[in-house]
Amino acid sequence: MIFSKTLTHWYSINKRNLPWRQTNNPYYIWLSEIILQQTQVKQGLPYYEAFIAKYPTVFDLANANESDVLKLWQGLGYYSRARNLHATSKHVANELKGEFPNNYKNLLKLKGIGDYTASAIASICFNEVAAVVDGNVYRVLSRYFGIDTPINSSKGSKEFKQLAQELIDVNNPADFNQAIMEFGAIQCKPKNPDCNICPFQDSCIAFNKNTISDLPVKIKSAKAKKKHFNFLVFISVDQKTILQKRQGKGIWQNLYQFPLIETENEMDVKTLKPLISEHDLLKDISFELVQYNKDTIIHKLSHQHLYTKFWIVNVGILKEAGILIDEIHDYPVPILIGNFIERFNF
DNA sequence: AATTCGGGGTA
DNA sequence: TACCCAGAATT
């Protein structure tokens, strides 16, 4: 097929020199693919370097504590990736003798590995003819073939997967997969793609119908909900504070935070003080309450906008054990908390 | 089939 | 602002 020939030729000339392209060791490829889910290369690169430096083998990762893995993941987001990464490393190390599955079907059974990642590892490490479909592939194929099926519909995901599987170079699935993603990432970009120097100009339907900016089609997601977060930053006379591990479902699972008071509306000292006076951590003791950030911090996530205030709570002795402020940097925290800790500098 | 998982970058 | 990113898991 001419498409794959043109594409892999473009790739041979234009590909970036990335560290995970120097190996086909499944551990490193797996690590890179998990890190790069919904994450741009530029953002994921330093995390990849940090992980292979600290955990050179799957056994090193399996022997780590989950909190240490989350700490290294801190700031990258989508923390279920880190939890699943750790769980899968234990499974591979302990049940599979350190050997990753060598095919799409069995890779797909591992936690945190879906259709895309199973295809990526199977093709790159084991030359299996399994086409990847990521955001880049949706964009390239929807434009080249002029397909307006919404990419985030079940019909769309099946349609594009089938198309990619028909196009893949059966003699070099690894390079084809990486080529189409690289092409989408650095040339067939979302905005202002480099159509003027594109080797597909003559045959690209969207270019010739002038519909590049309309493709791919995506169903819009719901708007983010507003939440009001009030973090209580305890400071005791013996230089302790309180961090709590987030349990259950929802964002930041298993990361740490200052005790959180979520409220319906924005709070000030007058409204918050009586409210928290009944809190388990403050009942029957005297405390001083000071608002740290004058302006509300608006932390924007995909589905939530967190209107956040940090409240300094000065007390004598904590009602529970707490942690030494000196050791606060050991705990994995959401970047919202991490930024506060840096700026506040205790 | 929809929603929920982060955080950083771009125009 | 709105949209995007080498998506997966849950509801």
mmCIF file of all heavy atoms in Angstrom, chain B:
data_model
loop_
_atom_site.group_PDB
_atom_site.id
_atom_site.type_symbol
_atom_site.label_atom_id
_atom_site.label_comp_id
_atom_site.label_asym_id
_atom_site.label_seq_id
_atom_site.Cartn_x
_atom_site.Cartn_y
_atom_site.Cartn_z
ATOM 1 P P DA B 1 -22.949 2.242 21.721
ATOM 2 O OP1 DA B 1 -24.064 2.058 20.785
ATOM 3 O OP2 DA B 1 -21.612 2.448 21.218
ATOM 4 O "O5'" DA B 1 -23.276 3.430 22.739
ATOM 5 C "C5'" DA B 1 -24.597 3.709 23.120
ATOM 6 C "C4'" DA B 1 -24.595 4.744 24.218
ATOM 7 O "O4'" DA B 1 -23.999 4.174 25.415
ATOM 8 C "C3'" DA B 1 -23.787 5.992 23.895
ATOM 9 O "O3'" DA B 1 -24.428 7.087 24.531
ATOM 10 C "C2'" DA B 1 -22.434 5.701 24.544
ATOM 11 C "C1'" DA B 1 -22.854 4.919 25.774
ATOM 12 N N9 DA B 1 -21.884 3.951 26.279
ATOM 13 C C8 DA B 1 -21.087 3.118 25.567
ATOM 14 N N7 DA B 1 -20.328 2.344 26.309
ATOM 15 C C5 DA B 1 -20.655 2.686 27.597
ATOM 16 C C6 DA B 1 -20.212 2.240 28.849
ATOM 17 N N6 DA B 1 -19.292 1.291 29.007
ATOM 18 N N1 DA B 1 -20.753 2.805 29.950
ATOM 19 C C2 DA B 1 -21.673 3.740 29.791
ATOM 20 N N3 DA B 1 -22.184 4.254 28.666
ATOM 21 C C4 DA B 1 -21.619 3.677 27.599
ATOM 22 P P DA B 2 -23.961 8.586 24.271
ATOM 23 O OP1 DA B 2 -25.063 9.321 23.676
ATOM 24 O OP2 DA B 2 -22.637 8.537 23.614
ATOM 25 O "O5'" DA B 2 -23.741 9.107 25.769
ATOM 26 C "C5'" DA B 2 -23.221 8.231 26.700
ATOM 27 C "C4'" DA B 2 -23.256 8.799 28.082
ATOM 28 O "O4'" DA B 2 -22.544 7.872 28.905
ATOM 29 C "C3'" DA B 2 -22.521 10.133 28.266
ATOM 30 O "O3'" DA B 2 -23.016 10.783 29.428
ATOM 31 C "C2'" DA B 2 -21.083 9.681 28.408
ATOM 32 C "C1'" DA B 2 -21.231 8.343 29.149
ATOM 33 N N9 DA B 2 -20.292 7.314 28.685
ATOM 34 C C8 DA B 2 -19.933 7.011 27.405
ATOM 35 N N7 DA B 2 -19.049 6.042 27.316
ATOM 36 C C5 DA B 2 -18.823 5.673 28.638
ATOM 37 C C6 DA B 2 -18.003 4.702 29.223
ATOM 38 N N6 DA B 2 -17.220 3.881 28.533
ATOM 39 N N1 DA B 2 -18.020 4.601 30.562
ATOM 40 C C2 DA B 2 -18.810 5.424 31.266
ATOM 41 N N3 DA B 2 -19.625 6.371 30.835
ATOM 42 C C4 DA B 2 -19.586 6.451 29.488
ATOM 43 P P DT B 3 -22.347 12.137 29.914
ATOM 44 O OP1 DT B 3 -23.395 12.887 30.607
ATOM 45 O OP2 DT B 3 -21.559 12.730 28.809
ATOM 46 O "O5'" DT B 3 -21.314 11.614 31.018
ATOM 47 C "C5'" DT B 3 -21.807 10.764 32.044
ATOM 48 C "C4'" DT B 3 -20.680 10.382 32.986
ATOM 49 O "O4'" DT B 3 -19.835 9.399 32.364
ATOM 50 C "C3'" DT B 3 -19.762 11.547 33.383
ATOM 51 O "O3'" DT B 3 -19.673 11.545 34.799
ATOM 52 C "C2'" DT B 3 -18.438 11.226 32.705
ATOM 53 C "C1'" DT B 3 -18.499 9.707 32.640
ATOM 54 N N1 DT B 3 -17.692 9.077 31.563
ATOM 55 C C2 DT B 3 -16.844 8.038 31.895
ATOM 56 O O2 DT B 3 -16.720 7.628 33.039
ATOM 57 N N3 DT B 3 -16.164 7.500 30.836
ATOM 58 C C4 DT B 3 -16.232 7.879 29.513
ATOM 59 O O4 DT B 3 -15.573 7.310 28.656
ATOM 60 C C5 DT B 3 -17.128 8.976 29.239
ATOM 61 C C7 DT B 3 -17.273 9.470 27.829
ATOM 62 C C6 DT B 3 -17.803 9.509 30.265
ATOM 63 P P DT B 4 -18.936 12.720 35.560
ATOM 64 O OP1 DT B 4 -19.707 12.957 36.785
ATOM 65 O OP2 DT B 4 -18.652 13.829 34.628
ATOM 66 O "O5'" DT B 4 -17.551 12.048 35.974
ATOM 67 C "C5'" DT B 4 -17.588 10.803 36.670
ATOM 68 C "C4'" DT B 4 -16.184 10.247 36.767
ATOM 69 O "O4'" DT B 4 -15.764 9.709 35.496
ATOM 70 C "C3'" DT B 4 -15.113 11.270 37.178
ATOM 71 O "O3'" DT B 4 -14.298 10.695 38.180
ATOM 72 C "C2'" DT B 4 -14.325 11.484 35.894
ATOM 73 C "C1'" DT B 4 -14.428 10.108 35.274
ATOM 74 N N1 DT B 4 -14.171 10.030 33.819
ATOM 75 C C2 DT B 4 -13.408 8.991 33.353
ATOM 76 O O2 DT B 4 -12.931 8.138 34.069
ATOM 77 N N3 DT B 4 -13.228 8.977 31.988
ATOM 78 C C4 DT B 4 -13.722 9.898 31.075
ATOM 79 O O4 DT B 4 -13.489 9.786 29.875
ATOM 80 C C5 DT B 4 -14.506 10.973 31.643
ATOM 81 C C7 DT B 4 -15.081 12.030 30.747
ATOM 82 C C6 DT B 4 -14.692 10.978 32.965
ATOM 83 P P DC B 5 -13.593 11.577 39.299
ATOM 84 O OP1 DC B 5 -13.168 10.674 40.370
ATOM 85 O OP2 DC B 5 -14.450 12.730 39.600
ATOM 86 O "O5'" DC B 5 -12.310 12.158 38.532
ATOM 87 C "C5'" DC B 5 -11.019 11.879 39.007
ATOM 88 C "C4'" DC B 5 -10.342 10.774 38.197
ATOM 89 O "O4'" DC B 5 -11.033 10.505 36.969
ATOM 90 C "C3'" DC B 5 -8.958 11.174 37.732
ATOM 91 O "O3'" DC B 5 -8.042 10.974 38.789
ATOM 92 C "C2'" DC B 5 -8.716 10.219 36.585
ATOM 93 C "C1'" DC B 5 -10.115 9.949 36.034
ATOM 94 N N1 DC B 5 -10.350 10.566 34.720
ATOM 95 C C2 DC B 5 -9.916 9.906 33.567
ATOM 96 O O2 DC B 5 -9.334 8.813 33.700
ATOM 97 N N3 DC B 5 -10.143 10.462 32.361
ATOM 98 C C4 DC B 5 -10.770 11.635 32.281
ATOM 99 N N4 DC B 5 -10.971 12.143 31.073
ATOM 100 C C5 DC B 5 -11.202 12.347 33.443
ATOM 101 C C6 DC B 5 -10.983 11.777 34.629
ATOM 102 P P DG B 6 -7.046 12.212 39.042
ATOM 103 O OP1 DG B 6 -5.604 11.912 39.088
ATOM 104 O OP2 DG B 6 -7.706 12.769 40.217
ATOM 105 O "O5'" DG B 6 -7.337 13.087 37.783
ATOM 106 C "C5'" DG B 6 -6.886 14.313 37.415
ATOM 107 C "C4'" DG B 6 -5.396 14.556 37.610
ATOM 108 O "O4'" DG B 6 -4.723 14.391 36.359
ATOM 109 C "C3'" DG B 6 -5.064 15.980 38.019
ATOM 110 O "O3'" DG B 6 -3.748 15.956 38.526
ATOM 111 C "C2'" DG B 6 -5.217 16.689 36.700
ATOM 112 C "C1'" DG B 6 -4.604 15.671 35.734
ATOM 113 N N9 DG B 6 -5.250 15.552 34.427
ATOM 114 C C8 DG B 6 -6.546 15.789 34.094
ATOM 115 N N7 DG B 6 -6.809 15.544 32.834
ATOM 116 C C5 DG B 6 -5.609 15.111 32.317
ATOM 117 C C6 DG B 6 -5.266 14.678 31.024
ATOM 118 O O6 DG B 6 -6.001 14.602 30.027
ATOM 119 N N1 DG B 6 -3.924 14.312 30.918
ATOM 120 C C2 DG B 6 -3.031 14.364 31.961
ATOM 121 N N2 DG B 6 -1.802 13.978 31.702
ATOM 122 N N3 DG B 6 -3.334 14.743 33.188
ATOM 123 C C4 DG B 6 -4.631 15.105 33.283
ATOM 124 P P DG B 7 -3.209 17.286 39.301
ATOM 125 O OP1 DG B 7 -2.291 16.836 40.359
ATOM 126 O OP2 DG B 7 -4.370 18.121 39.627
ATOM 127 O "O5'" DG B 7 -2.367 18.034 38.194
ATOM 128 C "C5'" DG B 7 -1.198 17.384 37.678
ATOM 129 C "C4'" DG B 7 -0.878 17.971 36.339
ATOM 130 O "O4'" DG B 7 -1.940 17.686 35.411
ATOM 131 C "C3'" DG B 7 -0.729 19.504 36.329
ATOM 132 O "O3'" DG B 7 0.627 19.765 36.075
ATOM 133 C "C2'" DG B 7 -1.653 19.974 35.203
ATOM 134 C "C1'" DG B 7 -1.890 18.689 34.427
ATOM 135 N N9 DG B 7 -3.094 18.625 33.616
ATOM 136 C C8 DG B 7 -4.385 18.943 33.984
ATOM 137 N N7 DG B 7 -5.256 18.782 33.016
ATOM 138 C C5 DG B 7 -4.476 18.330 31.953
ATOM 139 C C6 DG B 7 -4.849 17.987 30.620
ATOM 140 O O6 DG B 7 -5.977 18.013 30.121
ATOM 141 N N1 DG B 7 -3.751 17.583 29.865
ATOM 142 C C2 DG B 7 -2.459 17.524 30.330
ATOM 143 N N2 DG B 7 -1.527 17.120 29.473
ATOM 144 N N3 DG B 7 -2.091 17.845 31.562
ATOM 145 C C4 DG B 7 -3.145 18.239 32.312
ATOM 146 P P DG B 8 1.218 21.239 36.021
ATOM 147 O OP1 DG B 8 2.490 21.160 36.750
ATOM 148 O OP2 DG B 8 0.185 22.219 36.385
ATOM 149 O "O5'" DG B 8 1.536 21.407 34.473
ATOM 150 C "C5'" DG B 8 2.322 20.404 33.818
ATOM 151 C "C4'" DG B 8 2.255 20.610 32.330
ATOM 152 O "O4'" DG B 8 0.930 20.286 31.861
ATOM 153 C "C3'" DG B 8 2.531 22.053 31.879
ATOM 154 O "O3'" DG B 8 3.443 22.010 30.797
ATOM 155 C "C2'" DG B 8 1.169 22.566 31.440
ATOM 156 C "C1'" DG B 8 0.519 21.281 30.946
ATOM 157 N N9 DG B 8 -0.934 21.327 30.933
ATOM 158 C C8 DG B 8 -1.763 21.736 31.943
ATOM 159 N N7 DG B 8 -3.025 21.667 31.631
ATOM 160 C C5 DG B 8 -3.024 21.188 30.338
ATOM 161 C C6 DG B 8 -4.107 20.912 29.460
ATOM 162 O O6 DG B 8 -5.317 21.039 29.670
ATOM 163 N N1 DG B 8 -3.660 20.439 28.224
ATOM 164 C C2 DG B 8 -2.344 20.259 27.884
ATOM 165 N N2 DG B 8 -2.096 19.806 26.655
ATOM 166 N N3 DG B 8 -1.328 20.522 28.692
ATOM 167 C C4 DG B 8 -1.743 20.979 29.895
ATOM 168 P P DG B 9 4.086 23.386 30.282
ATOM 169 O OP1 DG B 9 5.536 23.162 30.242
ATOM 170 O OP2 DG B 9 3.498 24.524 31.013
ATOM 171 O "O5'" DG B 9 3.542 23.483 28.788
ATOM 172 C "C5'" DG B 9 3.668 22.362 27.925
ATOM 173 C "C4'" DG B 9 2.834 22.588 26.691
ATOM 174 O "O4'" DG B 9 1.439 22.404 27.026
ATOM 175 C "C3'" DG B 9 2.966 23.989 26.092
ATOM 176 O "O3'" DG B 9 3.371 23.894 24.736
ATOM 177 C "C2'" DG B 9 1.579 24.601 26.236
ATOM 178 C "C1'" DG B 9 0.674 23.373 26.342
ATOM 179 N N9 DG B 9 -0.542 23.611 27.100
ATOM 180 C C8 DG B 9 -0.636 24.015 28.411
ATOM 181 N N7 DG B 9 -1.868 24.145 28.816
ATOM 182 C C5 DG B 9 -2.625 23.804 27.707
ATOM 183 C C6 DG B 9 -4.039 23.766 27.544
ATOM 184 O O6 DG B 9 -4.917 24.036 28.380
ATOM 185 N N1 DG B 9 -4.398 23.367 26.265
ATOM 186 C C2 DG B 9 -3.500 23.050 25.266
ATOM 187 N N2 DG B 9 -4.033 22.691 24.090
ATOM 188 N N3 DG B 9 -2.188 23.082 25.404
ATOM 189 C C4 DG B 9 -1.822 23.470 26.646
ATOM 190 P P DT B 10 3.689 25.267 23.961
ATOM 191 O OP1 DT B 10 4.799 24.946 23.046
ATOM 192 O OP2 DT B 10 3.759 26.410 24.901
ATOM 193 O "O5'" DT B 10 2.370 25.459 23.090
ATOM 194 C "C5'" DT B 10 1.931 24.397 22.247
ATOM 195 C "C4'" DT B 10 0.641 24.811 21.558
ATOM 196 O "O4'" DT B 10 -0.439 24.808 22.513
ATOM 197 C "C3'" DT B 10 0.693 26.216 20.949
ATOM 198 O "O3'" DT B 10 0.407 26.125 19.566
ATOM 199 C "C2'" DT B 10 -0.390 27.005 21.691
ATOM 200 C "C1'" DT B 10 -1.278 25.907 22.247
ATOM 201 N N1 DT B 10 -1.954 26.247 23.526
ATOM 202 C C2 DT B 10 -3.321 26.176 23.596
ATOM 203 O O2 DT B 10 -4.015 25.851 22.646
ATOM 204 N N3 DT B 10 -3.849 26.495 24.825
ATOM 205 C C4 DT B 10 -3.153 26.869 25.960
ATOM 206 O O4 DT B 10 -3.747 27.138 26.995
ATOM 207 C C5 DT B 10 -1.727 26.924 25.812
ATOM 208 C C7 DT B 10 -0.889 27.310 26.992
ATOM 209 C C6 DT B 10 -1.197 26.612 24.617
ATOM 210 P P DA B 11 0.826 27.394 18.635
ATOM 211 O OP1 DA B 11 1.367 26.814 17.384
ATOM 212 O OP2 DA B 11 1.606 28.369 19.417
ATOM 213 O "O5'" DA B 11 -0.596 28.044 18.303
ATOM 214 C "C5'" DA B 11 -1.626 27.210 17.783
ATOM 215 C "C4'" DA B 11 -2.936 27.977 17.807
ATOM 216 O "O4'" DA B 11 -3.452 28.052 19.150
ATOM 217 C "C3'" DA B 11 -2.828 29.420 17.312
ATOM 218 O "O3'" DA B 11 -3.923 29.710 16.462
ATOM 219 C "C2'" DA B 11 -2.898 30.254 18.582
ATOM 220 C "C1'" DA B 11 -3.793 29.388 19.454
ATOM 221 N N9 DA B 11 -3.599 29.600 20.884
ATOM 222 C C8 DA B 11 -2.420 29.868 21.544
ATOM 223 N N7 DA B 11 -2.558 30.004 22.839
ATOM 224 C C5 DA B 11 -3.915 29.818 23.053
ATOM 225 C C6 DA B 11 -4.703 29.843 24.224
ATOM 226 N N6 DA B 11 -4.207 30.070 25.439
ATOM 227 N N1 DA B 11 -6.030 29.616 24.081
ATOM 228 C C2 DA B 11 -6.518 29.389 22.852
ATOM 229 N N3 DA B 11 -5.875 29.345 21.691
ATOM 230 C C4 DA B 11 -4.568 29.568 21.865
#
